[in-house]
Amino acid sequence: QVLAGVYPIAQLQDPYSAVGFLGSRLALPQLLQLRPPSGPGWTAWELCEAWAEKRGYKTARAARNDVARAANGILRLAAEGRLRLCLTPPGF
């Protein structure tokens, strides 16, 4: 619903599941030109953390990477059409 534009991105309680859905269907690290992860593979949290680091999103008090803002930014890129998401119909 979020990626279709039906549900507002700003009202999401957990944007990481939607980023994980997007990351499982698109090559986000290559599309967004992110640095490689420290572990064996990408998780939704690592995608958001790498995007926050690249864009310079920091929290106000602790100056840590603002992963919630990064998750919203990635979802907005997909909702606006800057990240192209095409799905095949079931049974196709």
Side-chain angles (χ1 to χ4, degrees):
Q1 290 177 345
V2 172
L3 297 175
V6 177
Y7 193 80
I9 294 170
Q11 292 183 3
L12 277 177
Q13 295 289 330
D14 178 32
Y16 310 110
S17 59
V19 171
F21 177 84
L22 205 61
S24 67
R25 284 156 177 80
L26 295 175
L28 283 181
Q30 289 80 19
L31 289 172
L32 300 175
Q33 300 172 351
L34 302 176
R35 58 145 179 84
S38 57
W42 288 96
T43 63
W45 182 269
E46 288 174 342
L47 282 169
C48 295
E49 193 169 25
W51 184 245
E53 186 177 317
K54 180 176 181 171
R55 301 290 295 176
Y57 298 153
K58 300 289 182 187
T59 58
R61 293 187 180 217
R64 288 186 228 143
N65 289 332
D66 193 354
V67 292
R69 183 177 173 195
N72 285 345
I74 291 172
L75 292 176
R76 287 185 197 285
L77 287 174
E80 293 169 359
R82 289 193 255 164
L83 290 177
R84 189 174 299 180
L85 177 65
C86 299
L87 303 172
T88 57
F92 183 74

